[in-house]
């Protein structure tokens, strides 16, 4: 048997083994005994990141640029360390919304936009094509090295040259294998458990093969690491392989490559597939966050030794990308060489399998299906069960993707090394990062901005990386590289706008991300989101809040029969039965046997019944798993009469489960802010109902106090919305009112919560020995300027050098500031004055705050310490005074509660000197043994 035939049989035998493992994994999943419900298997599946680039190209990179090759693996390490924050949020969102791909994820975030999903799919298809070409090149190159067959560069594409090209047959075999391997199920959101099991096995094979050739190099070809590095150090021409500064672009090049690897790890379609879609338990991320970096460390331990050995033994004129194979071949170890070839085949096929499945899902769900669903004449001709037809689309997409990869390899693949081709694809998929990451943490990011930003970034990438590759291959004139477009020097692709000195990848990444992020943020700041987009933004941003799940977004009506027919057409009878059975189990407590006993008549009647919002939501999720979010929503809209819930209703559902409040939103988000405020107040009321006193009165008072700011905000917001031609001065005046009323509303809520904690005994104080004199001066400094800006003269008389008491510094300062603020509100309209006096009275420390206002009647002096009680003269005489804001009626009750807990007293008297009212606080002296030393006093204060 010839060597070439033996290699081919070994390759086909290995592919057959993968198929057997995948079938075994699927069969175990059907039996409920999943083989991938393990953090170790999950980690090994993530190792699909290590492709032929790792197996062959890292050695070539190390031979040219030394340890800088590790940057490609430090980026994913940083990404995995951030996994509990970023990746876990992505996993939770994907599970809740049946996300099938990164295109579906970005589309769903921005209002389930089919256009945005199509754009992401197109960019991924174009950007990943070079990466697939890399794998084809690696397989072809390794086969040629193994059988000692020269590779002739492709001069032109013709039928004879294509049929004689081994890369074409590799692409053809892989396309058939992947069709059988990864498209046995329609629902792309259902996990490909067999595929994941096979990929995990491949990760073990490539790791073992790479370590085997590394150990062979160290201990057979050389006498250990010391011998290898000593001989390399004696060769000056090998300096690059040992130098940390060999990376192009210096420190900026290091940083650029690190960022590129970090972003690409999160946005590569295959990584999204294994990290997010195939995740069975988000807790596996915690283990994988250190197991995967460990895998990367182990597989890269032998890169430098293999690169140095290749340079020492094979010479500088050989191809460093093939050192992994040529070293055992040069020693006559054909068996080891064949095992290494299988390891490289594992690395390449694993990437191609997962990447092609992910891309075919995107092409089907984001490109083909939306077009078919909108092409009315064509969609009407498509009758019956379309599930098999949809699988055909995916299989056709697989063939197309492998064909594109082959064409890129045939046209320009020989012009670049393996690493160079990989970095081109990394820079392309990094254009998804701004829309993805900003969409996870910024509600204001809009779909139009995301789409235009990706277009700008992708165009910059194509100009600075993709087109230069065609120029270097002779498909475009070299003058394009040397002189720039239209012979404009500042338009040179590798020195855009005159920026020189960077490596081509950092250069492209810098300009493309500037364009991408700049457009996304700029457009988002001046664009209003649709209601659905606002809803999805809230769901994505709040995904990690406890209990968050996809809300029921439908208030329209349809029948169960209509949903049944729709699901059958696109999912098939079996999948439809599962969806309806799941819904019945939730909506109808009867057992399956009881439902069957009801007979066909009852089932027919059920089909004519209205579908619940829960069933409509589940139907949309099921369709999203097969067709993508945008197409699923379009299909549901075709059978549901009505529309999705409006924003106010959706946000009410969200806020009930998220248990979070956000205050101080921008004007266009005021309606959401008000809904959340109402939810929080209702929650506060529920807690206060447990108290025996004033529960009914409390609810009435809260409603009364909220009505004024809520009404004011809504009224002015509606005026602003309906008056686009309003003068700028008047608009600014109205906006100022909205802001002030919002601040007042926020203060009211905080005071209500403080009061609830105080009355329920949950207000925690941190008593310590402190100097009340120093604390009073600190409080005066905080309020002096704002009080005097309101026209009130504030005077302080402090008769003590020190006054040591036991108290919570923050809460006592809050009390003092509140007393001063209350006195300022009640001071006289003409020449208002407030005097603070701190001294000793009958063995206690007394702080009094007097005003020159009308005073407080004797019958009102205790009522001012009741919740929400406000003196009538404040509203009549002072409530409208300029710069004298009306209070909530909670400050004094909270202050008295704090003072009481500290063993003191707070009451009201007539002002002895000014004629108005005097608020008096008394506290006992600190016990002598707890009084701070002079050194401690400074530290405490």
């Amino acid at each position: 048997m010839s060597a070439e035939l033996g290699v081919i049989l070994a390759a086909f035998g290995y592919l057959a083994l993968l198929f057997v493992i995948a079938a075994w994994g699927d069969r175990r999943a059907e039996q409920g005994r999943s083989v991938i419900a393990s953090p170790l298997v999950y980690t090994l599946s993530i190792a699909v990141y290590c492709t032929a680039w790792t197996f062959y190209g890292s050695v070539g990179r190390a031979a040219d640029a030394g340890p800088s090759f590790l940057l490609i693996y430090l980026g994913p390490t940083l990404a995995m360390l951030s996994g509990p924050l970023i990746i876990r949020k992505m996993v939770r969102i994907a599970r809740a919304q049946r996300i099938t791909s990164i295109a579906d994820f970005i589309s769903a975030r921005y209002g389930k936009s089919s256009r945005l999903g199509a754009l992401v799919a197109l960019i991924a298809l174009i950007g990943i094509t070079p990466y697939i070409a890399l794998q084809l090149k690696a397989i072809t190159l390794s086969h040629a090295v193994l059988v000692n067959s020269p590779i002739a560069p492709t001069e032109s594409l013709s039928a004879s040259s294509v049929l004689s090209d081994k890369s074409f047959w590799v692409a053809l075999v892989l396309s058939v294998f992947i069709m059988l391997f990864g498209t046995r199920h329609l629902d792309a959101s259902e996990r490909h458990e067999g595929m994941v099991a096979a990929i995990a096995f491949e990760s073990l094979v490539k790791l073992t093969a790479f370590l085997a050739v590394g150990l062979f190099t160290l201990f057979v070809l050389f006498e250990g690491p010391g011998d290898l590095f000593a001989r390399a150090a004696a060769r000056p021409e090998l300096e690059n392989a040992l130098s940390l500064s060999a990376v192009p672009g210096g420190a900026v090049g290091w940083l650029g490559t690190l960022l590129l690897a970090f972003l690409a790890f999160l946005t590569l379609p295959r990584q999204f597939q294994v990290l997010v879609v195939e995740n069975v338990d988000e807790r596996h991320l915690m283990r994988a966050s250190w197991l995967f970096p460990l895998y990367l460390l182990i597989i890269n331990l032998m890169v430098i030794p293999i690169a140095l050995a290749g340079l020492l033994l094979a010479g500088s004129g050989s191809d460093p990308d093939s050192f992994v194979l040529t070293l055992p071949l040069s020693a006559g170890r054909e068996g080891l060489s064949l095992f290494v070839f299988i390891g490289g085949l594992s690395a390449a096929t694993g990437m191609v399998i997962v990447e092609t499945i992910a891309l075919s899902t995107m092409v089907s769900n984001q490109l083909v299906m939306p077009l078919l669903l909108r092409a009315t004449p064509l969609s009407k001709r498509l009758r019956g069960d379309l599930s098999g037809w949809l699988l055909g689309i995916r299989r056709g997409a697989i063939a197309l993707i492998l064909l594109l990869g082959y064409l890129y390899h045939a046209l320009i693949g020989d012009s670049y090394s393996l690493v160079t081709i990989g970095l081109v694809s990394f820079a392309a998929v990094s254009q998804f990062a701004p829309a993805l990451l900003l969409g996870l943490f910024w509600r204001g990011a809009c779909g139009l901005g995301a789409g235009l930003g990706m277009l700008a970034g992708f165009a910059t990438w194509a100009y600075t990386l993709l087109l230069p590759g065609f120029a270097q291959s002779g498909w475009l004139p070299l003058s394009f590289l040397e002189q720039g477009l239209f012979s404009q020097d500042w338009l040179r692709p590798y020195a855009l706008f005159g920026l020189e000195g960077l490596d081509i990848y950092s250069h492209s990444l810098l300009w493309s991300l500037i364009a991408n992020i700049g457009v996304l943020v700029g457009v988002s700041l001046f664009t209003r989101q649709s209601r659905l987009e606002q809803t999805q933004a809230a769901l994505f941003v709040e995904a990690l809040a406890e209990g968050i799940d996809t809300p029921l977004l439908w208030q329209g009506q349809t029948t169960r029969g209509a949903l049944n027919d729709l699901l059958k057409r696109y999912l098939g009878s079996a999948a439809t039965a599962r969806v309806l059975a799941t819904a019945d189990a939730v909506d109808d407590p009867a057992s399956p046997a009881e439902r069957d006993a009801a007979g066909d008549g009852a089932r027919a009647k059920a089909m004519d019944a209205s579908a619940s919002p829960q069933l409509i939501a589940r139907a949309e999720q099921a369709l999203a798993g097969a067709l993508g979010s945008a197409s699923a929503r379009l299909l549901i809209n075709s059978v549901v009469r009505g529309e999705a819930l409006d924003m106010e209703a959706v946000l009410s559902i969200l806020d009930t489960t998220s248990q979070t409040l956000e205050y101080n939103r921008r004007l266009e988000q005021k309606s959401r802010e008000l809904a959340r405020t109402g939810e929080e107040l209702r929650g506060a009321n529920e807690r206060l109902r447990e108290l025996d006193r004033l529960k009914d009165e409390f609810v009435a008072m809260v409603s009364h106090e909220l009505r004024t700011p809520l009404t004011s905000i809504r009224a002015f917001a509606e005026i602003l919305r309906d008056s686009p031609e309003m003068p700028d001065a008047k608009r600014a005046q109205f906006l100022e009112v909205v802001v002030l009323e919002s601040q007042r509303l926020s203060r009211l809520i905080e005071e209500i919560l403080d009061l609830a904690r105080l009355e329920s005994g949950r207000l925690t104080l941190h008593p310590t020995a402190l100097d009340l004199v120093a604390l009073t001066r600190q409080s005066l400094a905080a309020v002096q300027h704002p009080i005097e800006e309101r026209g009130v003269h504030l005077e302080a008389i402090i008769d003590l050098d020190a006054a040591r008491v036991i108290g919570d510094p923050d809460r006592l300062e809050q009390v003092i500031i509140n007393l001063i603020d209350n006195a300022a509100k009640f001071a006289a309209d003409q020449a208002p004055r407030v005097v603070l006096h701190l001294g000793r009275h009958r063995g206690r420390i007394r702080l009094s705050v007097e005003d020159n206002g009308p005073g407080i009647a004797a019958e009102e002096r205790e009522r001012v310490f009741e919740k929400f009680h406000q003196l009538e003269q404040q509203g009549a005489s002072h409530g409208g005074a300029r710069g004298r804001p009306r209070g909530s009626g909670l400050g004094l009750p909270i202050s008295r509660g704090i003072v009481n807990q500290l063993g003191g007293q707070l009451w009201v008297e007539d002002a002895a000197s000014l004629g108005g009212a005097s608020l008096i606080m008394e506290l006992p002296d600190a016990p002598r043994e707890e009084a701070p030393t002079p050194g401690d006093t400074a530290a405490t204060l």
Side-chain angles (χ1 to χ4, degrees):
M1 183 173 63
S2 67
E4 182 167 7
L5 180 59
V7 171
I8 292 175
L9 289 177
F12 273 96
Y14 178 72
L15 293 179
L17 176 61
L18 291 182
F19 196 88
V20 170
I21 293 173
W24 171 72
D26 284 337
R27 190 178 306 111
R28 290 278 299 237
E30 292 170 359
Q31 296 169 354
R33 299 185 297 161
S34 173
V35 297
I36 70 171
S38 159
L40 179 61
V41 175
Y42 179 63
T43 300
L44 291 173
S45 69
I46 299 172
V48 73
Y49 179 81
C50 298
T51 66
W53 173 352
T54 298
F55 203 85
Y56 298 114
S58 288
V59 175
R61 176 80 168 181
D64 294 333
S68 67
F69 79 94
L70 288 171
L71 293 170
I72 302 301
Y73 307 97
L74 289 177
T77 298
L78 293 178
M80 287 303 296
L81 292 177
S82 68
L85 177 64
I86 299 177
I87 303 175
R88 187 162 67 98
K89 181 180 266 194
M90 294 163 61
V91 168
R92 190 167 294 185
I93 293 168
R95 180 178 297 115
Q97 302 209 13
R98 299 290 291 267
I99 300 296
T100 60
S101 65
I102 189 170
D104 198 21
F105 190 91
I106 295 176
S107 167
R109 162 59 179 84
Y110 297 99
K112 302 186 179 181
S113 168
S114 58
R115 293 182 179 179
L116 192 57
L119 176 62
V120 175
L122 279 174
I123 292 176
L125 187 61
I126 297 172
I128 295 300
T129 293
Y131 212 164
I132 293 176
L134 182 157
Q135 314 308 315
L136 298 179
K137 177 180 180 179
I139 295 173
T140 306
L141 176 67
S142 59
H143 173 265
V145 170
L146 196 60
V147 301
N148 196 24
S149 172
I151 301 179
T154 305
E155 298 289 337
S156 61
L157 287 177
S158 62
S160 58
S161 64
V162 168
L163 293 177
S164 61
D165 189 351
K166 291 184 175 63
S167 298
F168 170 76
W169 293 105
V170 171
L172 182 62
V173 169
L174 285 178
S175 65
V176 174
F177 178 73
I178 296 170
M179 288 178 195
L180 299 173
F181 192 85
T183 58
R184 286 174 288 176
H185 305 291
L186 178 60
D187 188 349
S189 70
E190 288 185 356
R191 296 173 185 88
H192 303 77
E193 298 214 5
M195 180 196 75
V196 173
I199 297 304
F201 174 76
E202 287 200 298
S203 295
L204 289 175
V205 171
K206 64 192 175 192
L207 176 64
T208 305
F210 200 82
L211 289 178
V213 72
L215 293 173
F216 170 79
T217 300
L218 284 174
F219 298 104
V220 177
L221 297 181
F222 293 88
E223 297 178 1
D227 177 40
L228 172 62
F229 284 97
R231 292 170 62 177
R235 299 275 292 271
E237 65 271 20
L238 302 186
E239 180 181 358
N240 279 353
L242 296 170
S243 174
L244 291 173
S245 60
V247 63
V252 177
W254 276 75
L255 183 61
T257 307
L258 181 64
L259 177 62
L260 185 62
F262 174 85
L263 297 179
F265 181 78
L266 294 174
T267 53
L268 281 165
R270 73 173 186 277
Q271 294 307 130
F272 186 91
Q273 183 75 30
V274 294
L275 274 171
V276 178
V277 178
E278 305 294 345
N279 179 280
V280 298
D281 188 341
E282 65 182 49
R283 291 175 297 180
H284 291 170
L285 277 168
M286 299 303 296
R287 188 81 61 85
S289 64
W290 62 268
L291 271 178
F292 179 64
L294 179 62
Y295 181 96
L296 294 180
L297 173 64
I298 294 173
I299 200 171
N300 283 292
L301 281 176
M302 297 300 174
V303 170
I304 292 292
I306 294 173
L308 292 176
L311 292 173
L312 285 170
L313 299 179
S316 57
S318 57
D319 181 9
D321 286 344
S322 63
F323 282 170
V324 178
L325 274 173
T326 56
L327 286 175
L329 278 176
S330 65
R333 304 297 176 92
E334 288 80 6
L336 178 59
S337 299
L338 182 61
F339 181 46
V340 172
F341 170 76
I342 294 299
L345 184 65
S346 292
T349 55
M351 177 272 177
V352 175
I353 290 169
V354 183
E355 200 81 78
T356 306
I357 289 174
L359 286 176
S360 67
T361 300
M362 286 193 279
V363 170
S364 171
N365 292 356
Q366 309 298 331
L367 295 176
V368 179
M369 286 309 303
L371 290 177
L372 293 180
L373 293 176
R374 284 176 170 79
T376 305
L378 178 59
S379 63
K380 287 183 177 179
R381 288 199 297 269
L382 298 174
R383 302 292 183 185
D385 186 349
L386 301 181
S387 56
W389 191 78
L390 295 175
L391 280 176
I393 293 178
R394 288 206 185 137
R395 289 166 181 160
I398 288 172
L400 173 65
I401 293 164
L402 268 298
L403 176 62
L404 290 176
Y406 167 73
L407 290 175
Y408 184 92
H409 164 65
L411 293 176
I412 65 174
D414 292 331
S415 301
Y416 287 128
S417 68
L418 296 179
V419 170
T420 301
I421 296 175
L423 290 173
V424 169
S425 287
F426 271 27
V429 297
S430 294
Q431 303 313 311
F432 303 147
L436 177 70
L437 297 179
L438 286 179
L440 285 175
F441 299 100
W442 180 35
R443 287 193 183 190
C446 75
L448 180 61
L452 293 177
M454 274 190 283
L455 280 174
F458 180 71
T460 306
W461 165 81
Y463 186 81
T464 55
L465 272 185
L466 186 64
L467 294 181
F470 285 94
Q472 290 181 351
S473 301
W475 298 94
L476 290 175
L478 275 177
S479 60
F480 170 68
L481 281 179
E482 298 167 353
Q483 302 173 18
L485 189 65
F486 307 124
S487 299
Q488 297 294 315
D489 186 67
W490 59 277
L491 288 178
R492 285 180 295 155
Y494 290 157
L496 196 60
F497 302 113
L499 181 63
E500 297 184 293
L502 298 179
D503 64 284
I504 60 175
Y505 315 107
S506 299
H507 173 270
S508 177
L509 183 69
L510 172 66
W511 286 120
S512 60
L513 287 185
I514 287 176
N516 194 330
I517 297 173
V519 173
L520 191 161
V521 174
V523 173
S524 295
L525 290 177
F526 297 98
T527 301
R528 189 178 185 86
Q529 296 174 322
S530 67
R531 287 185 171 183
L532 178 58
E533 195 172 346
Q534 291 177 19
T535 303
Q536 290 295 101
L539 285 170
F540 274 59
V541 172
E542 301 292 343
L544 291 183
E546 191 65 28
I548 282 287
D549 201 351
T550 305
L552 305 177
L553 301 179
W554 291 99
Q555 64 181 6
Q557 295 181 347
T558 189
T559 64
R560 289 172 58 89
L563 284 180
N564 179 69
D565 293 341
L566 179 67
L567 293 175
K568 273 188 177 180
R569 189 178 186 202
Y570 290 96
L571 303 182
S573 300
T576 300
R578 287 197 301 269
V579 173
L580 295 179
T582 303
D584 289 338
V586 175
D587 299 336
D588 183 3
S591 65
E594 291 173 335
R595 288 194 292 268
D596 290 341
D600 294 337
R603 282 193 291 271
K605 184 178 180 180
M607 286 299 175
D608 293 332
S610 295
S612 65
Q614 291 87 346
L615 180 56
I616 297 175
R618 287 191 179 89
E620 183 183 6
Q621 289 181 340
L623 287 170
L627 307 174
S629 299
S631 297
R633 189 161 192 85
L634 187 64
L635 289 171
I636 291 293
N637 272 326
S638 69
V639 297
V640 174
R641 298 185 300 277
E643 58 181 12
L645 293 178
D646 58 26
M647 270 309 298
E648 190 171 347
V650 169
L651 289 174
S652 295
I653 298 172
L654 257 182
D655 291 330
T656 300
T657 58
S658 66
Q659 301 175 356
T660 58
L661 286 172
E662 290 188 17
Y663 315 109
N664 308 321
R665 302 297 296 175
R666 296 178 313 193
L667 182 59
E668 63 267 25
Q669 296 169 325
K670 290 298 178 185
S671 60
R672 284 189 286 170
E673 179 182 289
L674 298 179
R676 302 154 96 120
T677 303
E679 290 297 324
E680 177 64 21
L681 290 176
R682 281 191 286 274
N685 291 342
E686 288 296 332
R687 292 190 297 271
L688 292 174
R689 284 194 187 102
E690 298 175 2
L691 302 175
D692 295 331
R693 189 170 64 92
L694 298 176
K695 60 180 182 178
D696 294 331
E697 180 185 352
F698 181 82
V699 175
M701 288 178 177
V702 168
S703 301
H704 173 75
E705 289 298 320
L706 282 178
R707 188 174 296 113
T708 299
L710 288 175
T711 303
S712 179
I713 290 172
R714 182 177 294 276
F716 281 98
E718 288 176 352
I719 292 172
L720 290 170
R721 180 195 64 191
D722 299 332
S723 306
E725 304 300 326
M726 179 182 294
D728 290 344
K730 182 63 69 175
R731 182 178 296 274
Q733 177 185 353
F734 285 4
L735 286 173
E736 180 66 15
V737 173
V738 172
V739 171
L740 291 175
E741 289 297 307
S742 299
Q743 293 172 346
R744 176 183 169 193
L745 192 60
S746 295
R747 286 195 301 272
L748 176 61
I749 294 168
E750 290 297 329
E751 290 174 343
I752 291 171
L753 295 177
D754 267 352
L755 189 63
R757 287 191 286 264
L758 184 66
E759 294 188 345
S760 63
R762 291 184 290 107
L763 182 63
T764 303
L765 299 182
H766 303 281
T768 183
L770 56 86
D771 186 353
L772 189 59
V773 172
L775 187 65
T776 301
R777 296 186 189 280
Q778 179 177 318
S779 304
L780 286 167
V783 298
Q784 181 100 27
H785 182 66
I787 291 293
E788 291 181 351
E789 273 195 340
R790 287 153 54 181
V792 180
H793 175 69
L794 177 61
E795 180 182 352
I797 302 172
I798 300 177
D799 297 331
L800 302 173
D801 294 327
R804 291 174 173 79
V805 298
I806 299 296
D808 184 320
D810 293 333
R811 292 297 185 178
L812 264 182
E813 183 178 8
Q814 174 188 349
V815 170
I816 297 171
I817 290 175
N818 188 272
L819 297 181
I820 297 172
D821 189 60
N822 270 278
K825 291 174 185 175
F826 288 94
D829 286 336
Q830 301 297 325
R833 290 183 61 200
V834 173
V835 176
L836 180 146
H837 185 204
L838 178 61
R840 184 173 295 277
H841 182 77
R842 295 181 180 178
R844 292 166 71 89
I845 308 298
R846 171 177 285 194
L847 183 147
S848 64
V849 183
E850 301 179 359
D851 64 72
N852 64 344
I856 301 176
E859 63 270 19
E860 293 283 346
R861 290 177 184 174
E862 273 304 305
R863 295 192 63 198
V864 297
F865 295 101
E866 293 179 2
K867 298 184 293 292
F868 296 105
H869 180 76
Q870 297 174 346
L871 297 179
E872 291 183 4
Q873 59 260 40
Q874 179 184 346
S877 300
H878 299 279
R882 182 177 181 84
R884 312 271 280 283
R886 183 180 177 185
S888 64
L890 293 176
L892 288 179
I894 293 172
S895 297
R896 172 174 272 190
I898 293 172
V899 172
N900 288 346
Q901 285 199 32
L902 296 175
Q905 293 177 294
L906 178 63
W907 72 93
V908 179
E909 289 182 358
D910 288 331
S913 58
L914 298 183
S918 176
L919 291 164
I920 301 173
M921 175 182 72
E922 282 191 356
L923 291 171
D925 288 288
R928 186 177 303 276
E929 63 273 15
E930 293 186 22
T933 65
D936 293 337
T937 302
T940 302
L941 300 178

